[in-house]
């Protein structure tokens, strides 16, 4: 059995301990295995502590094999572990570069419109979105372990950051401080992500279950789509709140600002972008059409706005974009106490969300190529690139699914595709940035709407409802919390519910009665396998969770109920229940296959020596049942002799 305490069988009265010879006879009776459980093993405390820590924080044992290497070689391998580029760059050649070049150019064409769009979504200057697609990808190419991930800004984190920071300062009232808090939040995000990776604490991200992420991303996509009414309708004023009621109220309240010119142009852009996505589904080889479609919308929209002077005829444009690469922003980081709480909160929450998305995307794409990425190394890479980004006028970046999927389908071979993208963005910043000043805001809104539609996974919602109602509830809590309240409220409530569910699994583990399947030595749940038969006078139970202090009382009560029910059943057919599971007051137990940790505690506490007896510790359930049957037969023979 797979429980911490092992599989156990107990009985109403304990037979005499007898001599060691009788103990050996009990284990060997009926063809049972001659091997016995090792009860003499005892490890030093330091060894046990190190084993537990290693299993918790180093389950993949990344440094295995280093010990046999010379010191210099060992140090070099350690450096390569933390800087993966040192491993793949020496083996890099032209055969791979031609694929990475194509992939890099392709994702650069997507990075330009997405960077500008998501910066606008966060109420930041559009140029910040382009800055964020230059430095961070270079850092990831050096420290990242995924060959498929493409780095950039993401819509959900952009809106989350804006919703948190705007509670402290409004973008239109103090744009300089607002921008500084974004840089500072990115700095704290980087520190947090790096610390998680260095101290191997990636398990924290595991609390963001698939159902939580699905609901949160779906709800976020919904409110982002609704917020694009501002750009699609050419509105100037709009609410800074993110809940659906405030957004719809603001849209209606400022209806006098609606511009039909923007609406018509927006419909045209939406139809074009949706058609390109449909074409990709019908003809997967033409994926590049949908990849460059957003860039084409920006170019065509910019030319159209320039020719018709759109800003004078109901089509607002982006405005001036200055030439030049990222200016240093390290001096703009603000650590004033009155703003520190907001910056830390924004950095931590957006950092967890960015990690969950980036690592999930990297792992899913790696599985397709039968590759493997190290989650903790990814955290370090994300952390370093966000710290570097905060110093160079960037805000939070991660591995967005849309851009990474394009990178994957474009045939990328290594992180060099991110370097190619960075070079393309650098050329845009140096020579072409001013040309994007005529980009219509409605074009950016159209790009965001089409990108967000795919994040509302209705089929996934239906699947969760069909398979697991509790997971569906967790998903809906995140979705409805984001849509009707705030992003933080929805995410927090869903994570809290997920944690409660995990605790319930531990505090209220499932137990089941096992029976023997005829013609075999296998014992299975009698509810799942109705043909499994109980052994007369013996109750075999399986525990669905390790035994901890939080569930010890519950397990005792649950087992007592099993005992009472089984005892009544046995009496109805004319015999008594003799052997049970676990320690039930005066009843002794038989342990089956206890783990090393359990064995140590049983021996050190004196339980095996003074209470149970080592003759009642077995390797298999079959051995335990055989011994119980033998003891029952001896007991019956003694009763007959006395009569």
């Amino acid at each position: 059995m797979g429980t911490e305490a092992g599989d156990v069988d107990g009985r109403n009265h304990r037979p005499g301990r007898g001599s060691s010879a009788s103990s050996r006879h009990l284990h060997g009776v009926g063809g049972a295995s001659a091997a016995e459980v090792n009860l003499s093993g005892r490890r030093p405390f330091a060894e046990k502590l190190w084993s537990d820590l290693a299993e918790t924080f180093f389950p993949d044992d990344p440094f295995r094999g280093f010990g046999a290497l010379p010191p210099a070689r060992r140090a070099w391998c350690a450096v390569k572990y933390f800087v993966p580029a040192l491993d793949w760059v020496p083996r890099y050649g032209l055969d791979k570069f031609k694929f990475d070049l194509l992939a890099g150019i392709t994702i650069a064409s997507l990075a330009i419109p997405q960077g500008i769009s998501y910066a606008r979504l966060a109420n930041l200057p559009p140029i910040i979105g382009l800055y964020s697609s230059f430095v961070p990808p270079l850092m990831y190419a050096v420290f990242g372990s995924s060959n498929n991930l493409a780095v950039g800004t993401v819509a959900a984190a952009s809106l989350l950051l804006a919703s948190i920071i705007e509670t402290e300062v409004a973008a239109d009232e103090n744009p300089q401080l607002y921008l500084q808090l974004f840089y500072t939040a990115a700095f704290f995000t980087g520190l947090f992500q790096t610390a998680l990776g260095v101290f191997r604490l990636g398990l924290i991200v595991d609390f963001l279950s698939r159902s939580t992420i699905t609901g949160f991303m779906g709800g976020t996509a919904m409110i982002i789509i609704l917020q694009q009414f501002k750009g699609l309708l050419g509105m100037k004023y709009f609410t800074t709140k993110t809940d659906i009621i405030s957004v719809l109220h603001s849209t209606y309240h400022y209806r006098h600002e609606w511009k039909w010119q923007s609406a018509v142009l927006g419909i045209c852009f939406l139809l074009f972008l949706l058609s390109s996505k449909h074409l990709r589904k019908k003809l997967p080889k033409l994926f590049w059409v949908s990849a460059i479609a957003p860039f084409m919308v920006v170019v065509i929209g910019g030319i159209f706005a320039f020719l018709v002077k759109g800003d004078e005829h109901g089509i607002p444009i982006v405005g001036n974009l200055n030439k030049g690469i990222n200016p240093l922003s390290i001096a703009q980081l603000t650590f004033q106490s009155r703003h520190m709480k907001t910056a830390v909160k924004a950095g931590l929450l957006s950092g967890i969300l960015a990690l969950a998305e980036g690592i999930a995307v990297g792992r899913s794409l790696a599985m397709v190529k039968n590759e493997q990425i190290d989650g903790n190394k990814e955290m370090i890479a994300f952390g370093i690139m966000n710290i570097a980004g905060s110093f160079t006028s960037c805000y939070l970046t991660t591995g967005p699914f849309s851009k990474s999927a394009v990178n994957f389908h474009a045939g990328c071979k290594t992180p060099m595709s991110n370097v190619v993208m960075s070079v393309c963005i650098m050329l845009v910043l140096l020579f072409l940035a001013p040309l994007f000043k005529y980009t219509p805001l409605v074009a950016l809104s159209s790009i965001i709407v089409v990108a967000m539609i795919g994040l509302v996974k209705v089929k996934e919602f239906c699947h969760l409802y069909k398979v697991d109602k509790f997971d569906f509830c967790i998903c809906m809590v995140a979705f409805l919390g984001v849509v009707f309240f705030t992003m933080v409220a929805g995410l927090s409530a869903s994570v809290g519910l997920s944690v409660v569910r995990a605790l319930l699994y531990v505090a209220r583990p499932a137990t089941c009665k096992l029976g023997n399947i005829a013609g075999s030595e296998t014992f299975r749940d009698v509810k799942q396998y109705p043909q499994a038969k109980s052994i007369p006078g013996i109750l075999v139970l399986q525990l669905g969770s390790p035994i901890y202090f939080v569930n010890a009382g519950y397990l005792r009560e649950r087992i007592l109920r099993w005992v009472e029910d089984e005892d009544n059943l046995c009496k109805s057919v004319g015999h008594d229940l003799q052997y049970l599971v676990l320690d039930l007051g005066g009843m002794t137990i038989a342990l089956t296959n206890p783990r090393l940790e359990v064995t140590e505690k049983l021996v050190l506490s004196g339980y095996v020596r003074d209470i149970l007896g080592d003759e009642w510790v077995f390797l298999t359930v079959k051995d335990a049942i055989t011994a119980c049957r033998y003891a029952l037969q001896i007991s019956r023979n003694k009763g007959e002799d006395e009569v």
Side-chain angles (χ1 to χ4, degrees):
M1 312 280 180
T3 64
E4 180 175 314
D7 305 328
V8 292
D9 303 271
R11 64 192 189 93
N12 283 324
H13 64 278
R14 178 179 171 183
R17 293 282 298 278
S19 64
S20 59
S22 64
S23 172
R24 289 192 297 272
H25 178 68
L26 192 61
H27 272 276
V29 69
S33 173
E36 298 182 4
V37 177
N38 179 15
L39 298 175
S40 60
R42 179 178 177 183
R43 296 174 298 168
F45 173 75
E47 180 183 340
K48 289 193 293 184
L49 178 62
W50 172 249
S51 177
D52 292 341
L53 291 176
E55 186 63 27
T56 301
F57 299 112
F58 297 91
D60 54 342
D61 192 11
F63 304 115
R64 59 185 179 276
F66 280 22
L69 299 175
R73 180 65 175 168
R74 193 184 314 164
W76 177 245
C77 289
V79 172
K80 287 201 300 183
Y81 172 80
F82 289 106
V83 187
L86 296 176
D87 184 43
W88 63 264
V89 168
R91 296 180 281 106
Y92 194 74
L94 186 61
D95 57 329
K96 295 180 180 179
F97 179 71
K98 59 184 180 181
F99 291 100
D100 289 335
L101 178 63
L102 174 62
I105 295 174
T106 305
I107 58 177
S109 68
L110 183 62
I112 295 171
Q114 282 191 349
I116 297 175
S117 301
Y118 296 157
R120 291 285 305 177
L121 182 63
N123 295 319
L124 294 171
I127 195 67
I128 302 298
L130 296 180
Y131 289 161
S132 300
S133 296
F134 173 42
V135 174
L138 290 175
M139 304 305 297
Y140 182 82
V142 176
F143 296 99
S145 62
S146 173
N147 292 324
N148 309 298
L149 211 66
V151 172
T153 55
V154 287
S158 299
L159 186 61
L160 178 61
L161 284 165
S163 65
I164 296 174
I165 293 176
E166 283 183 341
T167 61
E168 179 77 17
V169 56
D172 54 352
E173 293 178 0
N174 194 340
Q176 183 62 28
L177 177 59
Y178 184 80
L179 183 58
Q180 289 175 350
L181 288 178
F182 264 83
Y183 295 154
T184 309
F187 175 75
F188 283 117
T189 294
L191 287 181
F192 174 65
Q193 293 174 334
T194 303
L196 288 182
V198 170
F199 294 106
R200 314 287 292 185
L201 295 176
L203 55 90
I204 293 178
V205 182
D206 293 338
F207 282 102
L208 288 178
S209 64
R210 179 180 177 84
S211 52
T212 294
I213 295 176
T214 300
F216 178 81
M217 297 302 291
T220 302
M222 283 289 296
I223 61 175
I224 289 176
I225 290 173
L226 292 175
Q227 283 201 335
Q228 300 317 302
F229 285 157
K230 177 182 179 182
L232 291 171
L233 298 174
M235 300 168 64
K236 181 178 180 181
Y237 298 102
F238 208 71
T239 182
T240 58
K241 297 181 179 179
T242 59
D243 62 281
I244 185 173
I245 296 176
S246 298
V247 172
L248 292 178
H249 176 267
S250 181
T251 303
Y252 180 76
H253 181 72
Y254 295 109
R255 61 188 181 278
H256 60 278
E257 294 186 2
W258 294 3
K259 305 291 192 305
W260 67 266
Q261 298 93 333
S262 286
V264 171
L265 191 59
I267 292 174
C268 295
F269 287 150
L270 287 172
L271 291 176
F272 174 73
L273 291 170
L274 290 173
S275 298
S276 69
K277 292 189 68 173
H278 181 72
L279 179 64
R280 183 189 63 186
K281 293 180 180 179
K282 292 294 184 180
L283 301 171
K285 291 185 178 180
L286 296 180
F287 72 92
W288 57 270
V289 175
S290 63
I292 67 171
F295 184 73
M296 294 174 64
V297 165
V298 169
V299 173
I300 295 172
I303 294 174
F304 179 80
F306 172 75
L307 294 176
V308 303
K309 297 183 179 180
D311 56 332
E312 300 177 4
H313 298 89
I315 304 177
I317 60 175
V318 168
N320 290 328
L321 294 176
N322 296 325
K323 265 199 282 189
I325 59 174
N326 306 33
L328 292 177
S329 58
I330 187 170
Q332 298 190 49
L333 300 182
T334 176
F335 301 107
Q336 298 177 10
S337 57
R338 58 179 177 174
H339 303 310
M340 182 71 73
K341 181 179 178 181
T342 300
V344 171
K345 178 182 178 181
L348 296 187
L349 290 178
S350 60
I352 292 176
L353 178 63
L355 279 180
E357 180 175 359
I359 293 177
V361 170
R363 285 176 175 170
S364 62
L365 295 178
M367 288 176 62
V368 178
K369 291 185 176 180
N370 198 26
E371 297 174 349
Q372 189 172 2
I373 66 170
D374 187 325
N376 289 289
K377 281 200 291 188
E378 287 295 278
M379 292 179 189
I380 295 175
F382 288 166
I384 292 175
M385 75 182 187
N386 278 306
I387 291 175
S390 70
F391 294 165
T392 54
S393 301
C394 306
Y395 76 108
L396 181 143
T397 52
T398 184
F401 176 78
S402 58
K403 190 182 296 183
S404 299
V406 170
N407 192 36
F408 175 85
H409 290 295
C412 66
K413 298 299 181 182
T414 69
M416 181 61 73
S417 59
N418 281 283
V419 177
V420 174
M421 177 182 67
S422 294
V423 172
C424 293
I425 298 298
M426 180 188 69
L427 295 176
V428 170
L429 289 171
L430 289 175
F431 305 109
L432 304 177
L435 297 180
F436 292 99
K437 66 174 291 186
Y438 294 103
T439 302
L441 296 183
V442 65
L444 304 181
S445 295
S446 301
I447 292 170
I448 292 176
V449 168
V450 174
M452 293 299 102
I453 289 176
L455 295 180
V456 185
K457 301 183 182 297
V458 178
K459 289 185 178 180
E460 183 72 12
F461 295 163
C462 297
H463 176 74
L464 288 173
Y465 180 81
K466 181 180 179 181
V467 175
D468 192 318
K469 300 298 189 294
F470 205 117
D471 268 347
F472 175 76
C473 290
I474 292 174
C475 179
M476 286 297 101
V477 165
F479 181 84
L480 297 176
V482 170
V483 170
F484 288 99
F485 298 97
T486 66
M487 298 177 70
V488 175
L491 183 62
S492 301
S494 183
V495 171
L497 193 58
S498 298
V499 173
V500 169
R501 185 186 193 186
L503 292 176
L504 285 176
Y505 273 126
V506 176
R508 295 293 182 267
T511 60
C512 63
K513 176 183 175 182
L514 302 182
N516 178 243
I517 296 180
S520 73
E521 299 176 356
T522 304
F523 288 79
R524 291 293 182 265
D525 182 4
V526 295
K527 287 186 177 180
Q528 184 178 1
Y529 299 90
Q531 71 273 24
K533 303 298 182 182
S534 300
I535 307 299
I538 304 173
L539 173 62
V540 183
L541 297 181
Q542 182 184 52
L543 306 182
S545 169
I547 300 176
Y548 299 104
F549 65 93
V550 293
N551 61 22
Y554 167 79
L555 286 175
R556 185 179 182 88
E557 295 173 2
R558 185 67 187 89
I559 292 168
L560 284 173
R561 285 168 52 198
W562 277 109
V563 170
E564 184 178 349
D565 294 343
E566 188 71 12
D567 191 43
N568 292 335
L569 182 62
C570 289
K571 289 179 179 178
S572 67
V573 295
H575 59 79
D576 294 329
L577 177 64
Q578 296 290 321
Y579 294 88
L580 306 171
V581 177
L582 293 179
D583 185 6
L584 302 177
M587 300 178 183
T588 59
I589 63 175
L591 297 177
T592 304
N593 191 29
R595 290 168 48 189
L596 176 60
E597 294 85 351
V598 178
T599 302
E600 289 178 334
K601 293 175 183 178
L602 291 173
V603 173
L604 293 175
S605 66
Y607 185 79
V608 172
R609 182 186 67 250
D610 302 329
I611 300 176
L612 181 64
D614 58 9
E615 69 269 24
W616 290 100
V617 183
F618 302 91
L619 282 175
T620 66
V621 173
K622 175 178 179 266
D623 293 348
I625 295 298
T626 302
C628 291
R629 282 173 166 167
Y630 176 76
L632 279 173
Q633 185 63 40
I634 294 297
S635 179
R636 293 193 186 100
N637 292 341
K638 287 184 178 179
E640 293 173 358
D641 292 342
E642 291 176 357
V643 172

